[in-house]
Amino acid sequence: MRIKIELFGASREFSKNNLIEFNVSNNSKIKDIRAEMNKYLDENFSGNENYKKILKSSSFCSEDNNIVSDNYKITENEKIGIIPPIGGG
Amino acid sequence: MLHTDIIDIKQKKLSIKDAEKFIASANYGASIIFTGTVRNQNNNKNVIGITYDSHDALVLKSFNEIYNETEKKLNIKNKAVFIEHAKGYLNLKEISIIIAVACKHRDEAYILSRYIIEEIKKRSPIWKKEHYIDNKSDWLKGNPLVHEKI
């Protein structure tokens, strides 16, 4: 199935489009998305350690705007948001 | 009584007058208007501006949650709260956040204002990219989101 990862904050550096799309197997979970994104960073940024740190310390957000755990099951075409460490105000 | 918004800085600027108007009431004897502004130094670097990014829906949700819990946690029942945060590029001295509160008494107003800004720092998905005098820029590191997960 196809899923979209919407990028925010420091993770916007991962793509010029502010969005990354992946094909993943049905019933994939957030932890699978982390693995896919790790692969993506290896392939596109030679495993940039700073980017990997950002990914590791990020939370994820479901399409209905809840922060979800690594065991959250993603549905087809769901748009997931990556939430890097925050610091507004 | 609560007003919240994320302001796209390309459309308009944050307005202290709007905040004053919202919280003005004869029911309240104390009001505080807190503003956060862009300063010219951070970590020994000369800052010329900041780009603010936000997950708007989650930010507004967090503002509502913070407001709602002040009744139970702080026991502040009668209050007016105005929270707006900027999104986009801000120059030095421009306002990034306004938190205006009005309560019956000053003790409550100080506590409420401080509580709201500290919780926003911990919980609201907002990010800053600093721009420096040497034309470089950096996303600030920030803190991992403290939030219950489903």
Side-chain angles (χ1 to χ4, degrees), chain B residues 103-116:
Chain B
C103 302
K104 278 190 173 176
H105 307 291
R106 67 182 183 281
D107 285 359
E108 295 175 315
Y110 277 117
I111 290 167
L112 183 59
S113 174
R114 183 68 192 260
Y115 181 81
I116 292 169

Side-chain angles (χ1 to χ4, degrees), chain A residues 6-10 12-13 34 57 59 61 64-69 72 81-89, chain B residues 52-55 57-58 61 85 96-97 121-129 139 141-145 149-150:
Chain A
E6 199 174 5
L7 306 173
F8 293 95
R12 286 194 189 273
E13 307 293 329
R34 281 191 195 275
S57 54
S59 297
C61 168
D64 56 357
N65 300 317
N66 287 306
I67 299 298
V68 292
S69 75
Y72 174 83
I82 180 168
I83 310 292
I86 60 169
Chain B
Y52 286 85
D53 187 20
S54 68
H55 186 302
L58 270 183
K61 188 177 169 186
H85 203 294
S96 58
I97 186 169
K121 289 272 187 189
K122 279 189 260 178
R123 293 156 56 172
S124 301
I126 298 167
W127 300 273
K128 292 182 197 181
K129 188 179 198 178
W139 288 99
K141 278 186 179 164
N143 297 305
L145 191 60
K149 289 177 181 173
I150 294 172

Side-chain angles (χ1 to χ4, degrees), chain B:
Chain B
M1 196 167 71
L2 174 67
H3 164 88
T4 63
D5 207 356
I6 305 291
I7 303 296
D8 180 350
I9 216 68
K10 285 180 195 153
Q11 309 296 325
K12 63 178 265 212
K13 289 190 186 300
L14 274 71
S15 159
I16 292 173
K17 276 187 185 165
D18 289 351
E20 282 173 335
K21 200 173 161 189
F22 182 81
I23 64 169
S25 164
N27 292 328
Y28 309 121
S31 58
I32 294 172
I33 297 178
F34 169 86
T35 60
T37 52
V38 179
R39 70 172 187 275
N40 62 4
Q41 283 274 326
N42 193 30
N43 295 326
N44 296 319
K45 289 180 178 173
N46 294 316
V47 177
I48 57 167
I50 295 179
T51 300
Y52 286 85
D53 187 20
S54 68
H55 186 302
D56 296 2
L58 270 183
V59 169
L60 293 173
K61 188 177 169 186
S62 72
F63 289 172
N64 272 279
E65 285 170 356
I66 292 165
Y67 172 84
N68 288 332
E69 71 197 25
T70 57
E71 184 161 339
K72 259 192 179 173
K73 284 194 176 172
L74 307 177
N75 198 27
I76 299 173
K77 293 184 176 68
N78 299 314
K79 58 193 176 279
V81 174
F82 175 105
I83 310 171
E84 287 190 351
H85 203 294
K87 184 173 184 169
Y89 182 85
L90 291 182
N91 291 302
L92 297 180
K93 300 190 288 184
E94 288 190 307
I95 298 172
S96 58
I97 186 169
I98 298 177
I99 299 169
V101 304
C103 302
K104 278 190 173 176
H105 307 291
R106 67 182 183 281
D107 285 359
E108 295 175 315
Y110 277 117
I111 290 167
L112 183 59
S113 174
R114 183 68 192 260
Y115 181 81
I116 292 169
I117 183 62
E118 297 304 332
E119 291 303 311
I120 287 172
K121 289 272 187 189
K122 279 189 260 178
R123 293 156 56 172
S124 301
I126 298 167
W127 300 273
K128 292 182 197 181
K129 188 179 198 178
E130 282 184 344
H131 303 277
Y132 307 111
I133 204 161
D134 59 3
N135 285 329
K136 289 182 179 166
S137 57
D138 261 334
W139 288 99
L140 296 188
K141 278 186 179 164
N143 297 305
L145 191 60
V146 178
H147 207 287
E148 278 184 27
K149 289 177 181 173
I150 294 172

Side-chain angles (χ1 to χ4, degrees), chain A residues 4-7 12 14-21 40 79-80:
Chain A
K4 292 171 188 161
I5 309 293
E6 199 174 5
L7 306 173
R12 286 194 189 273
F14 297 176
S15 169
K16 283 175 186 165
N17 302 323
N18 297 322
L19 197 77
I20 306 175
E21 293 190 56
Y40 170 88
K79 190 155 79 174
I80 298 288

Side-chain angles (χ1 to χ4, degrees), chain A residues 26-86:
Chain A
N26 289 347
N27 297 320
S28 283
K29 296 177 177 178
I30 293 293
K31 61 183 169 192
D32 302 313
I33 299 304
R34 281 191 195 275
E36 281 297 325
M37 289 190 76
N38 247 313
K39 239 192 275 174
Y40 170 88
L41 293 176
D42 282 337
E43 288 166 8
N44 292 277
F45 299 98
S46 310
N48 182 312
E49 284 306 317
N50 283 336
Y51 289 1
K52 286 196 161 191
K53 270 184 203 165
I54 292 166
L55 173 61
K56 199 175 175 187
S57 54
S58 291
S59 297
F60 285 83
C61 168
S62 62
E63 190 154 351
D64 56 357
N65 300 317
N66 287 306
I67 299 298
V68 292
S69 75
D70 275 17
N71 288 319
Y72 174 83
K73 266 190 197 169
I74 300 153
T75 54
E76 185 150 16
N77 289 321
E78 183 165 2
K79 190 155 79 174
I80 298 288
I82 180 168
I83 310 292
I86 60 169

